[in-house]
Amino acid sequence: MGKKASTITLSTDDRSYLEAQTRARTIQAQTVTRARILLLKADGISIDDIADKVGMNRKSVMLCINKYLEGGVENALFDAPGRGRNAEITDDEKAWIINIACQKPVNLGYSAEVWTRALLTKHINKFAEDAGHTRLSTISQSKVRTILEEADIKPNKIAYYCENRDPNFDQKMHNVLLVYKQLSLQFDEKGQLIPFKEDEQVVHVLSYDEKPGIQAIANTSEDLSPDKKHKTFSRDYEYKRLGTVSLLAGIDLQTGEAIPLVRDKHSSKEYIEFLKLLDTKYPKKDKIRLVLDNLKVHSSLETRKYLATVPGRFEFVFTPKHGSWLNLIEGFFSKLTRQSLKGIRVKTKEELVQRIYKYFDEINEDPVIYHWKYKLEEIDSNEALVVDTLPLKSPVN
């Protein structure tokens, strides 16, 4: 008996793959034998003992192991097609693998939405022979992964995108940017608002949106102040939900003032209440122009009925679908979340409402005027702005 040889190191994937080969019934016997050799060697069995177990001579066992050390599992299991060349997978076989990887497993009869490496390899092994690619019936996970990486295909992941569902996206975006362009000309070089002329129609421009579902959350025990042991405020993981509120808000793009309305819902009723708040706030002879998204409540029948009672008072510039990022108030809401709502705990829902109003009072002490710069150099300020007054489409009794 020869002396005990050192082991070879197999990855978890390679070991699982080799064990699967030893159980296979549709591959060549020599492939099964070679898989056994590698597994035995990985367990520290000597060359002579391996030769006895698999019924081969010592030289053949060493050849298999050396081929593994030179080129990995694939190189050890399969004979090269020619002297000095490793076993290759053809372009057609690679294309067949990629074609499968580009299909959802659920469409091929599996429960999964995306592939795992194990499931994809198992499917390839199972159906390769029927597809005329017998060589692929024993391909390993690592080789499948290499092929997919070379093709830059990641079938185990999902990347999300936002489909452009608004056929007039560019036109609507241009119109919103025109509002911002005209606004930019109302400020002097020092950033001060230039007063309207006496004979000029005064137009107040606001960016408006809703932030629904703000949660009122209460602690189940008191927060602990920082001390020698805990460097930050400490809070119990348990909490109670007290309900949610909706914030309806606008920011005046000429003064920077933020105008809030907090209610339980954000239906047409609450939206009309906000419009009435603006109507009370600004002089009656002035126009109020809102940049907002086209949510159903913004153009509902109830909203139109109200607007019919104040003709010429409001103008609306709608952002395109999936273009909420064009609305400047989105940046304000992000700031609100970071500065006030993050980690907030209250004892009642009413306390949450009051703290939101308090935040608006604080920022209005030193208001920040929001400006837009993206693509403004492409906009001609002399173009005609398209606004909507949302008239009633038909007489209503």
Side-chain angles (χ1 to χ4, degrees):
M1 301 292 289
K3 68 176 182 178
K4 185 175 181 179
S6 59
T7 63
I8 59 175
T9 302
L10 295 173
S11 67
T12 302
D13 286 349
D14 284 346
R15 178 175 284 276
S16 298
Y17 172 63
L18 290 171
E19 289 174 348
Q21 301 310 302
T22 62
R23 296 190 297 268
R25 294 293 180 267
T26 59
I27 62 175
Q28 294 181 348
Q30 67 177 13
T31 303
V32 176
T33 301
R34 293 170 182 177
R36 289 185 62 200
I37 290 173
L38 296 180
L39 289 170
L40 291 169
K41 185 59 179 166
D43 292 336
I45 307 301
S46 69
I47 300 296
D48 289 339
D49 287 345
I50 294 174
D52 290 340
K53 288 179 181 294
V54 299
M56 297 178 67
N57 60 54
R58 191 174 190 277
K59 183 176 180 181
S60 296
V61 172
M62 291 184 63
L63 177 61
C64 177
I65 294 171
N66 288 335
K67 288 178 66 178
Y68 168 79
L69 295 174
E70 292 171 359
V73 170
E74 297 281 329
N75 191 52
L77 295 187
F78 307 105
D79 292 329
R83 179 178 296 179
R85 297 180 61 199
N86 292 328
E88 295 180 353
I89 296 177
T90 66
D91 290 341
D92 287 345
E93 290 171 333
K94 291 180 180 179
W96 184 74
I97 291 173
I98 293 171
N99 178 59
I100 292 174
C102 290
Q103 301 178 57
K104 286 187 175 183
V106 66
N107 296 334
L108 297 175
Y110 300 100
S111 62
E113 182 72 11
V114 295
W115 292 107
T116 62
R117 290 173 185 165
L119 180 59
L120 179 58
T121 305
K122 178 181 178 181
H123 180 87
I124 291 170
N125 293 158
K126 183 177 180 180
F127 295 99
E129 190 170 352
D130 292 342
H133 304 299
T134 305
R135 165 68 181 84
L136 301 181
S137 62
T138 56
I139 193 172
S140 66
Q141 286 188 39
S142 59
K143 189 61 177 180
V144 171
R145 179 180 60 189
T146 300
I147 292 171
L148 295 179
E149 288 178 349
E150 290 174 351
D152 199 21
I153 300 293
K154 298 179 176 65
N156 60 318
K157 295 184 179 181
I158 296 176
Y160 291 89
Y161 70 97
C162 185
E163 183 180 354
N164 184 2
R165 294 186 176 90
D166 193 335
N168 299 317
F169 186 96
D170 292 337
Q171 177 185 343
K172 291 179 180 178
M173 180 178 73
H174 184 87
N175 202 44
V176 173
L177 296 184
L178 180 56
V179 173
Y180 298 152
K181 180 70 172 186
Q182 293 177 351
L183 266 174
S184 67
L185 300 178
Q186 294 183 17
F187 294 87
D188 60 23
E189 294 180 354
K190 296 181 179 181
Q192 300 297 314
L193 183 65
I194 302 172
F196 285 89
K197 298 178 181 178
E198 291 186 4
D199 59 345
E200 190 176 4
Q201 173 68 66
V202 177
V203 180
H204 304 277
V205 184
L206 294 95
S207 173
Y208 169 85
D209 202 1
E210 297 93 0
K211 186 175 180 63
I214 302 174
Q215 293 196 59
I217 299 177
N219 282 338
T220 56
S221 57
E222 295 297 324
D223 286 346
L224 303 179
S225 299
D227 54 26
K228 293 182 178 180
K229 181 178 180 181
H230 302 287
K231 306 303 180 184
T232 63
F233 284 100
S234 299
R235 173 173 290 167
D236 185 44
Y237 282 103
E238 297 293 330
Y239 58 86
K240 294 187 296 185
R241 299 180 188 273
L242 306 177
T244 62
V245 298
S246 293
L247 169 63
L248 295 79
I251 49 174
D252 190 315
L253 299 181
Q254 291 148 319
T255 66
E257 181 182 0
I259 305 162
L261 180 67
V262 184
R263 292 292 184 264
D264 287 341
K265 299 186 297 183
H266 60 289
S267 64
S268 295
K269 176 183 176 182
E270 288 74 28
Y271 176 59
I272 292 170
E273 186 179 354
F274 186 85
L275 294 181
K276 290 180 178 178
L277 178 64
L278 297 181
D279 183 49
T280 303
K281 179 178 179 61
Y282 294 104
K284 295 296 182 182
K285 64 180 182 300
D286 298 349
K287 283 186 178 294
I288 303 172
R289 180 177 296 158
L290 272 69
V291 177
L292 71 171
D293 61 36
N294 200 1
L295 190 67
K296 187 176 181 180
V297 300
H298 298 163
S299 56
S300 66
L301 180 59
E302 292 84 353
T303 300
R304 292 173 185 269
K305 285 182 179 180
Y306 165 70
L307 293 175
T309 66
V310 285
R313 178 66 160 157
F314 291 93
E315 295 178 345
F316 304 93
V317 178
F318 293 107
T319 60
K321 292 180 181 178
H322 305 296
S324 60
W325 53 274
L326 287 165
N327 204 346
L328 280 168
I329 198 170
E330 294 295 339
F332 172 82
F333 281 160
S334 177
K335 182 179 178 181
L336 163 69
T337 301
R338 296 193 308 271
Q339 294 184 344
S340 180
L341 299 180
K342 181 180 179 181
I344 193 169
R345 292 292 187 268
V346 294
K347 295 181 180 178
T348 65
K349 191 163 75 169
E350 180 58 30
E351 181 186 345
L352 173 63
V353 173
Q354 294 306 318
R355 288 178 67 174
I356 292 174
Y357 279 127
K358 178 64 176 175
Y359 175 80
F360 278 79
D361 290 339
E362 291 170 354
I363 62 171
N364 283 334
E365 292 176 1
D366 188 17
V368 175
I369 298 176
Y370 287 74
H371 296 285
W372 186 277
K373 296 182 179 180
Y374 177 66
K375 287 192 173 182
L376 280 196
E377 69 279 359
E378 302 175 9
I379 306 298
D380 181 0
S381 60
N382 295 318
E383 294 182 52
L385 180 66
V386 179
V387 296
D388 196 334
T389 58
L390 294 178
L392 283 170
K393 297 180 180 179
S394 59
V396 176
N397 297 328

